Amino acid sequence: MNYKIVRLNTAAKTDIEYAVLIIYTGGTLGMAYDEQGALVPFNFGKILEKIPNLNSLNISITVISFPEPIDSSNINLQHWVDMAYIIYENYDTYDGFVVLHGTDTMAYSASMLSYMLAGLNKPVIFTGAQLPISAMRSDARENLMTALEIAISKANGKPVVPEVCIFFNHMLLRGNRAKKVQSVHFDAFESENYPALAESGIVIDYNYASIRPYEEGKKLKYLNRLDNNVMVLKLFPGITKNVVQHCLQINGLKGIVLETYGSGNSPSEDWFIQSMEEAVDKGLLIFNVSQCNGGRVIQGRYQTSKDLKRVGVLSGGDMTTEAAITKMMFILANESDETEIKRKMMTPLAGEMSVLSH
C-alpha cells in the first residue's frame, strides 16, 4: 500500500521530547467542509491551522494516511493487517501511536489489533469524532489532543498505558472491552464489563489498577494471519429451524459467535439444541456471548444454557461481540489443534475477558 506521510513541525527541535505516529484511516474526524458544504477528507498537513494547541505539546508528529480514506463500514482484514504492520514497522521510532478511525467499527479494529500486536508495550490509542474537525462544536480537537497526550504519558520512564485503547469523550477504555452505543451523542463508547482506564478533566486521572502493566523486555510480535470464515448469529424470539440450519451449513464456515439472551440462554426446543450439537460434532466452533450490553454468559445457570454447555458450545464469559468475532478470526488462523483453539478462545489473550470459572 502506498501510504501518504506528513511530518508536522509542531515545536522547535530543541523543545521536542516525544515522537508520536498518527495513522489516519478515515472517519469523521479527518473530514472538513468544502466550499459547497460537502464533507471531504481533510489535508493533515494543515492540521495546525485547525488545532494550533498541538504546538504546546512539544511532540514530533508524523502522520501516515491510507492512500484513500475509508468509511469504517468498509473496514476489512487487509486494513487490520496494514494498521498492525505500520505500528510494527515504526515501533522503535515512536513513543506512542494514535489511530484515527471511524466510530462505527472502531471497537472491532481496536480488538483485532490487541491480538495481532502480541507483546505490545507502548500506547496504541484509537480515537475519532462524531463531528468533523472543521465543525464549530466538534469533539475532534479534544479527542485528538488528549489521545496524543496519553500516547506520550510516562511514569518512571515507562509508558503509562502500554495497550490498545479507545479514547472518546473524556474516557479512556480498553479497546477490546469497548462497544459503540451512541450515534448522535458525544459519549459514543461504553465499557460495561471493565472499568475505564482513565478519565480526562483538568488532569488525566488514570485508573492504574485496571491498566495492563508494562512488561520489561517484552518484544513486539506482528501476527498477521486472519480467517474470516466466521459469522455472528443473533437469536431472536421466533427464529426458525430453517434459518438456524442454513447458517450452520454455510460452506466453509469454521466458527459462529452465538448472541444469546441474558446470561447465555437460548431456545430449549429439541431442534435447536440438536442443531447445535450436530454442528459442534462436525467441528464447527460455536462461542456463546450475551446480547446484553454488560452481559455475562454463565452457561448452566439456567436449564436453557445448560444444554448448550452439554453439547459443546463454548462460553464467552463477559466478552463483547466485537472482541469475540475478531478473536475467533485470529485464533482460527493461528491455531490448528481443536483443543488448543477451544482453550485459547476461553482464555484471555489481551485482557478481552475475565478469567472463566469452571
Side-chain angles (χ1 to χ4, degrees):
M1 183 178 286
N2 296 317
Y3 308 111
K4 299 176 182 178
I5 302 176
V6 176
R7 290 180 173 83
L8 303 180
N9 184 23
T10 55
K13 290 185 177 180
T14 55
D15 296 331
I16 291 175
E17 298 180 33
Y18 304 103
V20 174
L21 177 62
I22 295 177
I23 302 170
Y24 174 54
T25 68
T28 301
L29 185 148
M31 306 294 279
Y33 294 102
D34 65 11
E35 294 177 355
Q36 285 73 44
L39 283 172
V40 295
F42 176 69
N43 179 359
F44 265 91
K46 298 182 179 179
I47 194 171
L48 294 179
E49 296 175 8
K50 301 292 184 182
I51 314 180
N53 287 345
L54 282 175
N55 283 310
S56 66
L57 292 179
N58 292 342
I59 305 173
S60 171
I61 299 176
T62 301
V63 181
I64 293 183
S65 298
F66 278 16
E68 295 296 332
I70 54 172
D71 187 299
S72 71
S73 298
N74 291 320
I75 285 285
N76 59 40
L77 273 62
Q78 187 58 52
H79 295 128
W80 289 332
V81 168
D82 290 339
M83 284 183 238
Y85 180 75
I86 291 171
I87 293 170
Y88 176 75
E89 274 293 289
N90 294 278
Y91 190 68
D92 294 334
T93 305
Y94 295 93
D95 296 284
F97 303 85
V98 172
V99 183
L100 304 183
H101 194 292
T103 58
D104 285 350
T105 57
M106 188 184 292
Y108 291 92
S109 294
S111 295
M112 183 60 90
L113 260 64
S114 75
Y115 310 134
M116 296 176 71
L117 297 171
L120 181 70
N121 246 347
K122 292 183 178 182
V124 175
I125 313 299
F126 278 76
T127 195
Q130 295 288 64
L131 287 174
I133 199 167
S134 59
M136 183 177 296
R137 295 189 304 106
S138 176
D139 53 335
R141 300 176 192 87
E142 165 66 21
N143 287 346
L144 178 55
M145 287 286 290
T146 309
L148 286 167
E149 187 171 347
I150 292 169
I152 62 171
S153 293
K154 295 188 179 184
N156 300 317
K158 298 178 176 62
V160 172
V161 188
E163 57 176 294
V164 180
C165 304
I166 290 176
F167 178 79
F168 219 91
N169 193 45
H170 308 293
M171 304 301 293
L172 182 69
L173 310 176
R174 176 167 288 168
N176 55 32
R177 291 288 196 150
K179 176 183 286 287
K180 184 176 181 181
V181 296
Q182 287 284 353
S183 61
V184 295
H185 297 294
F186 288 142
D187 53 343
F189 292 90
E190 289 182 357
S191 174
E192 288 293 324
N193 283 337
Y194 197 78
L197 304 187
E199 183 172 1
S200 68
I202 295 175
V203 297
I204 300 176
D205 184 15
Y206 290 101
N207 179 8
Y208 291 97
S210 297
I211 298 171
R212 187 177 67 81
Y214 178 88
E215 298 181 70
E216 196 74 49
K218 199 80 170 180
K219 298 295 183 182
L220 182 67
K221 294 181 180 178
Y222 166 58
L223 306 173
N224 64 352
R225 289 186 296 178
L226 306 174
D227 190 335
N228 62 351
N229 288 296
V230 297
M231 68 169 292
V232 176
L233 176 58
K234 184 169 186 172
L235 299 183
F236 58 90
I239 192 169
T240 66
K241 178 179 179 180
N242 187 47
V243 166
V244 172
Q245 291 194 337
H246 270 79
C247 289
L248 296 175
Q249 294 167 8
I250 292 173
N251 186 41
L253 187 67
K254 297 179 183 178
I256 289 180
V257 171
L258 184 68
E259 278 200 1
T260 56
Y261 310 123
S263 56
N265 303 312
S266 71
S268 58
E269 288 123 309
D270 289 343
W271 69 263
F272 184 84
I273 301 302
Q274 185 177 345
S275 296
M276 294 294 116
E277 184 172 20
E278 290 174 355
V280 170
D281 288 345
K282 291 178 181 178
L284 189 66
L285 178 67
I286 304 180
F287 198 60
N288 186 359
V289 300
S290 175
Q291 294 180 11
C292 301
N293 186 19
R296 182 186 300 263
V297 169
I298 309 174
Q299 290 194 154
R301 187 174 194 177
Y302 298 98
Q303 183 61 46
T304 49
S305 63
K306 187 178 294 184
D307 288 335
L308 293 179
K309 183 177 182 180
R310 175 180 58 80
V311 301
V313 173
L314 306 181
S315 172
D318 58 1
M319 288 184 71
T320 64
T321 298
E322 293 88 337
I325 195 68
T326 50
K327 183 176 183 178
M328 185 174 282
M329 293 183 200
F330 178 78
I331 295 295
L332 286 172
N334 289 280
E335 293 292 343
S336 56
D337 180 74
E338 183 178 341
T339 301
E340 192 64 7
I341 288 172
K342 291 179 178 180
R343 185 189 72 80
K344 287 194 172 181
M345 283 300 300
M346 295 193 295
T347 303
L349 295 183
E352 74 282 0
M353 65 190 302
S354 303
V355 176
L356 296 174
S357 57
H358 299 283

